Amino acid sequence: MDKKLGIKVAINAVAGSGKTSYIVKQLNNETKKSLIITYTQANQQNIKEKIIAKFGYLPANIYVYGYFEFLLNFIIKPLCPYEVENISYENPSYKITSPFTKDKKRIFSNRMAKYIIDKLPEYKNRIDKYFDEVFIDEMQDLASDDFRWMLSLSELIIPVTLVGDFYQSTFASSRRGNHLGKLYDESCVYNEKLEESGFLIDATTLVESYRCTQTVCDFIKEHLEIKIDPKYNIISEIRLIEDIETIEQILEDDSIVKLFYQNSMKFNINSDNWGNSKGMTFNEVCVVLNDSTFNKYKQNKLNELAPLTKKKLYVACTRSNGNLWFIKQNDIVDKYKK
């Protein structure tokens, strides 16, 4: 197939807007070879399930890779002069300059992208040769050198589509000192780097949330100052629960997930952490506020939270497709902590 220079686009989406569904909608089960890369194993499985739901099977021309899996098996193993067998997820000392373990059998996960960019430039020709289009889902999960590698895909001949939500960047694929350490502090800086690399910013295609109600979207826009609009004009309830009896009813109702800033496993209730809940949907959500966040909430200053804390709270609030409750963590410590 003759390949012409394809468009490079980065789609800024909101929570619940159907990012993965959008990618699957672009796929066909004919001759076009489509590459889809995502960071988490859970999302990799989710993508495969949606493809199977569309076609009834996983077409042979559609390839779904985890990020590190793709770097290792498609780029490093075929192109590296060493017989690398696997990945080391250890965080090597800065004194160790090699991207490989001593026996050269494993490569450190947080050094893979830099090694590829610096030493294996032919990876771009290889991708162009074997695929007709590339999609990266949840692009905000790639940080540091992994982000640089993603930007390098703008140099491919084939089309490249990045999809993600800047405000759901609650964990990073890798770190190298302070390299691009402030990347996810400001969306304007993030978008600027994408544009400088040749990606067109699409801020209109996935701006409506199928998940969140009008009430939740209005709360997020007002208090977190993050733009998100609902697909449907559904009204729900948002309330700070301070009555002990009502708090206990919510905590003991397993159908309502409780989301903590951290250390949710220390409590004897159906719970998770704010950041870990990314990708999940619940009918009702109870967000447990630690001291600092509770104080900001009471002062109507949630928009002043530290960038990472603000993003994790955004993730937690956008898990609900119905009511959203808030409770103070100190109100439940004595009775429900293990």
Side-chain angles (χ1 to χ4, degrees):
M1 178 184 294
D2 291 334
K3 297 179 181 179
K4 299 179 180 179
L5 186 63
I7 189 171
K8 311 299 186 295
V9 60
I11 302 176
N12 285 333
V14 300
S17 59
K19 296 182 287 296
T20 302
S21 296
Y22 172 84
I23 291 175
V24 173
K25 188 176 180 181
Q26 314 307 309
L27 305 175
N28 67 60
N29 60 343
E30 298 174 353
T31 58
K32 183 182 288 188
K33 293 183 178 179
S34 303
L35 167 64
I36 306 170
I37 300 172
T38 191
Y39 178 57
T40 67
Q41 290 182 337
N43 199 45
Q44 187 179 0
Q45 183 60 34
N46 180 41
I47 292 170
K48 289 181 179 180
E49 289 173 358
K50 291 196 173 189
I51 293 172
I52 293 170
K54 177 178 180 177
F55 298 113
Y57 63 103
L58 187 62
N61 61 303
I62 298 174
Y63 303 82
V64 183
Y65 277 97
Y67 173 69
F68 291 126
E69 172 194 14
F70 179 77
L71 297 190
L72 177 68
N73 293 326
F74 187 82
I75 298 177
I76 293 175
K77 283 188 175 182
L79 300 179
C80 177
Y82 308 113
E83 294 184 2
V84 181
E85 297 176 355
N86 216 325
I87 301 171
S88 171
Y89 292 96
E90 300 172 18
N91 189 15
S93 166
Y94 71 92
K95 296 179 181 179
I96 299 176
T97 58
S98 172
F100 303 99
T101 55
K102 289 183 178 180
D103 58 6
K104 297 291 194 296
K105 296 295 185 181
R106 294 183 297 157
I107 184 168
F108 295 113
S109 61
N110 65 349
R111 307 231 176 132
M112 295 174 75
K114 186 177 187 302
Y115 174 73
I116 289 170
I117 294 170
D118 293 346
K119 302 297 184 180
L120 305 176
E122 59 269 40
Y123 72 91
K124 285 174 278 192
N125 292 335
R126 181 169 167 79
I127 295 174
D128 275 326
K129 177 180 178 180
Y130 286 100
F131 301 105
D132 298 303
E133 60 185 355
V134 178
F135 298 92
I136 293 189
D137 196 14
E138 304 291 3
M139 64 175 174
Q140 77 282 344
D141 290 340
L142 300 185
S144 190
D145 293 311
D146 302 316
F147 179 77
R148 278 207 306 138
W149 180 85
M150 181 176 72
L151 294 186
S152 76
L153 300 185
S154 66
E155 300 170 19
L156 298 181
I157 296 173
I158 60 177
V160 179
T161 301
L162 316 178
V163 183
D165 181 357
F166 172 83
Y167 294 103
Q168 291 192 65
S169 55
T170 57
F171 53 79
S173 56
S174 67
R175 293 289 189 206
R176 176 166 59 89
N178 292 322
H179 179 64
L180 294 179
K182 300 292 185 181
L183 176 66
Y184 287 100
D185 284 358
E186 297 289 343
S187 61
C188 59
V189 174
Y190 183 79
N191 286 334
E192 184 178 297
K193 290 191 177 296
L194 287 167
E195 288 182 315
E196 288 174 352
S197 296
F199 284 94
L200 300 174
I201 303 297
D202 179 344
T204 60
T205 298
L206 295 174
V207 295
E208 293 180 325
S209 177
Y210 288 86
R211 179 192 301 131
C212 300
T213 66
Q214 176 77 60
T215 312
V216 171
C217 289
D218 288 346
F219 174 87
I220 291 170
K221 284 189 289 188
E222 178 182 354
H223 294 280
L224 298 182
E225 297 185 353
I226 296 174
K227 181 175 173 53
I228 179 172
D229 293 311
K231 181 67 176 178
Y232 308 109
N233 186 24
I234 298 174
I235 304 302
S236 61
E237 187 175 355
I238 296 179
R239 183 157 53 99
L240 174 67
I241 309 296
E242 297 181 284
D243 173 67
I244 297 300
E245 183 177 344
T246 307
I247 288 175
E248 291 183 351
Q249 289 176 356
I250 291 174
L251 294 179
E252 294 172 10
D253 185 344
D254 285 342
S255 69
I256 303 175
V257 67
K258 275 63 69 173
L259 298 178
F260 290 77
Y261 174 70
Q262 60 185 5
N263 298 324
S264 61
M265 73 292 296
K266 294 183 178 181
F267 293 85
N268 287 309
I269 51 179
N270 176 27
S271 63
D272 207 330
N273 294 336
W274 295 355
N276 290 348
S277 67
K278 183 165 61 174
M280 301 177 185
T281 299
F282 305 100
N283 292 329
E284 291 182 285
V285 168
C286 174
V287 176
V288 183
L289 302 175
N290 57 14
D291 279 345
S292 59
T293 309
F294 178 77
N295 291 335
K296 294 290 187 185
Y297 178 95
K298 294 292 284 186
Q299 298 167 15
N300 287 320
K301 293 182 178 180
L302 287 175
N303 63 303
E304 296 180 3
L305 288 169
L308 183 57
T309 302
K310 180 177 173 179
K311 290 174 186 175
K312 289 182 177 181
L313 181 59
Y314 165 74
V315 168
C317 292
T318 55
R319 297 312 94 198
S320 175
N321 61 13
N323 298 326
L324 180 61
W325 316 116
F326 293 101
I327 62 174
K328 184 179 180 182
Q329 184 166 328
N330 281 348
D331 287 340
I332 69 170
V333 170
D334 292 338
K335 184 173 181 179
Y336 293 95
K337 197 167 187 179
K338 293 179 180 177

